[in-house]
Amino acid sequence: MDILLDDIPYNNSLYPFTATRSLVHIRIGILTIYEKWQLAFPGKIILSSQLPDNIYEESYLKIPANLIPSANFLERIQSENNKELTTDDCKVLRHPWEIFEYNDWAIREDFEMITSGKDSEEISPGNKIVSIENIFVEPGAEINFSILNAQAGPIYIGRNAEILEGCMIRGPFALGEGSKLKMGTKIYGATTIGPGCIGGGEIKNSILMGYSNKSHDGYLGDSVIGEWCNLGAGTSNSNLKNTAGIVKVWSNEDNCFVNSGTRCGLLMGDYSRCAINTSFNTGTVAGISCNIFGNSFPPKYIKDFTWGNDTYIFEKAINDINNWKKLKGFEITQTEIDSLKNFYELKQQK
């Protein structure tokens, strides 16, 4: 069966994470939404935004792309009797802060799908382990003299990931392929650190989607960080107002600040960075390709291609992005440059 994920209607509602990607490439849990579907239906997933003109949608099972499938839901679709599908055990992403709100549920669902029928690698006896049956370690991962407590939720350690000495981890937690936790890192669930990332300091109920760094001391809580981002040493965010009141977050869809509940930290788009000791207010939204620095709190909405209090010159932004990618053994692609150029020009016209 071929699956058509309808990703066209949701770009504005999930900004800034849909400014540079289809929403199906948002990481929530261990996997991206696309990877969840691909795991169940390899080679059978297509997006509405990529559908050729000569292909009829009627030949696919069409599903809203902002539906996050549960393990049981994917099994029901795979069964022969799938005409009356219920989505009661799934989640639907309507707002960007729901990415961290649903992450606990999503890690548990992905853990079940990924580890089913597989054996974990052994964990060195030099570590302190609680509820080892809820911990899965992929080949090549190294864990040294740390505490892993999976009593409250599963812990997944990806292939070739590394946990340095003295880390304290409480599940649910996922560490992506090739990622690293620096010495003494404190992790509270539900947290996901995607592939190619570095984690350090204190992190709680947050997602780093991939290839981003939060390498040093400082607090990151109830937050979502896109790809290719860097948080300078000592950076911290507020996730709860001093009044314990409702947090307002910038919405591209509504073109104003909207209520997000009582907890929301930092929502940072791809390719953005901040200077050392940056302090972010509750519910701050940073757009894509921002270089954030200054003598005071950054604004609660930092527009795309911001350089301090000015506009990032496009050519410099591309050069700086490429410099950061080279630090991890990558280079910016022409496809990325073209996409960012189109986005930059659209912003300049507004």
Side-chain angles (χ1 to χ4, degrees):
M1 177 186 301
D2 292 332
I3 308 293
L4 177 65
L5 297 179
D6 186 14
D7 62 335
I8 293 176
Y10 308 104
N11 279 342
N12 278 337
S13 62
L14 292 166
Y15 173 89
F17 306 110
T18 47
T20 49
R21 63 168 64 79
S22 165
L23 77 93
V24 302
H25 299 303
I26 288 174
R27 187 173 304 280
I28 178 169
I30 302 171
L31 305 170
T32 67
I33 297 172
Y34 183 83
E35 288 169 344
K36 301 175 201 293
W37 286 100
Q38 190 71 5
L39 192 65
F41 299 93
K44 296 181 180 293
I45 308 300
I46 192 167
L47 310 182
S48 290
S49 58
Q50 299 174 343
L51 193 67
D53 293 336
N54 60 343
I55 301 295
Y56 295 101
E57 293 186 4
E58 289 76 12
S59 60
Y60 295 87
L61 176 60
K62 187 177 180 180
I63 294 175
N66 66 334
L67 179 80
I68 309 171
S70 67
N72 287 334
F73 180 75
L74 292 172
E75 287 183 6
R76 292 199 297 273
I77 295 181
Q78 289 171 318
S79 70
E80 294 182 4
N81 184 21
N82 57 32
K83 294 182 179 179
E84 296 183 3
L85 287 171
T86 61
T87 59
D88 296 346
D89 57 349
C90 301
K91 301 290 185 183
V92 178
L93 274 182
R94 296 185 177 90
H95 307 287
W97 55 85
E98 291 174 338
I99 299 171
F100 68 76
E101 289 180 348
Y102 297 157
N103 201 44
D104 184 304
W105 170 88
I107 290 175
R108 296 173 193 271
E109 293 292 327
D110 287 354
F111 188 87
E112 179 182 338
M113 287 191 289
I114 291 174
T115 65
S116 179
K118 295 170 61 178
D119 294 325
S120 171
E121 296 292 301
E122 293 186 1
I123 302 174
S124 167
N127 297 283
K128 174 65 177 178
I129 305 299
V130 180
S131 298
I132 194 170
E133 68 278 7
N134 293 331
I135 300 175
F136 192 92
V137 179
E138 296 282 7
E142 293 186 19
I143 308 170
N144 297 303
F145 303 104
S146 292
I147 301 171
L148 280 71
N149 183 351
Q151 191 169 24
I155 293 175
Y156 175 85
I157 309 300
R159 187 178 295 269
N160 299 325
E162 187 176 8
I163 299 175
L164 299 183
E165 295 85 349
C167 293
M168 296 178 286
I169 300 167
R170 293 178 63 88
F173 173 63
L175 185 64
E177 182 174 349
S179 289
K180 178 186 292 187
L181 293 185
K182 296 183 75 174
M183 290 193 298
T185 302
K186 300 180 286 292
I187 300 287
Y188 296 85
T191 289
T192 295
I193 296 179
C197 292
I198 301 176
E202 182 179 358
I203 306 174
K204 172 248 179 187
N205 194 33
S206 295
I207 297 103
L208 279 68
M209 289 196 183
Y211 310 101
S212 291
N213 302 329
K214 194 272 181 203
S215 303
H216 305 286
D217 285 344
Y219 175 70
L220 184 72
D222 297 303
S223 296
V224 183
I225 307 298
E227 295 187 348
W228 302 107
C229 296
N230 189 74
L231 305 183
T235 294
S236 289
N237 74 270
S238 167
N239 62 331
L240 179 68
K241 294 178 70 172
N242 283 348
T243 62
I246 297 297
V247 180
K248 290 185 177 291
V249 172
W250 176 259
S251 166
N252 242 29
E253 185 175 38
D254 299 300
N255 199 34
C256 65
F257 287 89
V258 299
N259 294 344
S260 66
T262 58
R263 290 183 184 272
C264 185
L266 172 63
L267 306 175
M268 176 178 278
D270 293 350
Y271 311 113
S272 287
R273 304 170 296 279
C274 67
I276 62 170
N277 295 322
T278 303
S279 296
F280 289 101
N281 273 306
T282 320
T284 295
V285 175
I288 66 167
S289 190
C290 297
N291 190 9
I292 303 162
F293 59 90
N295 295 324
S296 59
F297 280 98
K300 285 197 59 174
Y301 171 43
I302 304 164
K303 295 181 179 180
D304 306 294
F305 295 99
T306 289
W307 171 278
N309 294 319
D310 209 336
T311 300
Y312 222 146
I313 296 171
F314 180 76
E315 290 74 18
K316 179 167 177 52
I318 294 301
N319 182 71
D320 293 348
I321 289 169
N322 198 39
N323 287 341
W324 277 99
K325 295 194 77 167
K326 285 179 179 178
L327 293 177
K328 292 182 184 285
F330 293 83
E331 290 198 23
I332 193 168
T333 65
Q334 191 59 48
T335 299
E336 285 178 290
I337 295 172
D338 293 343
S339 176
L340 288 167
K341 178 82 170 172
N342 290 336
F343 189 75
Y344 185 87
E345 291 176 346
L346 284 173
K347 289 289 181 181
Q348 296 302 104
Q349 293 170 11
K350 291 183 179 180

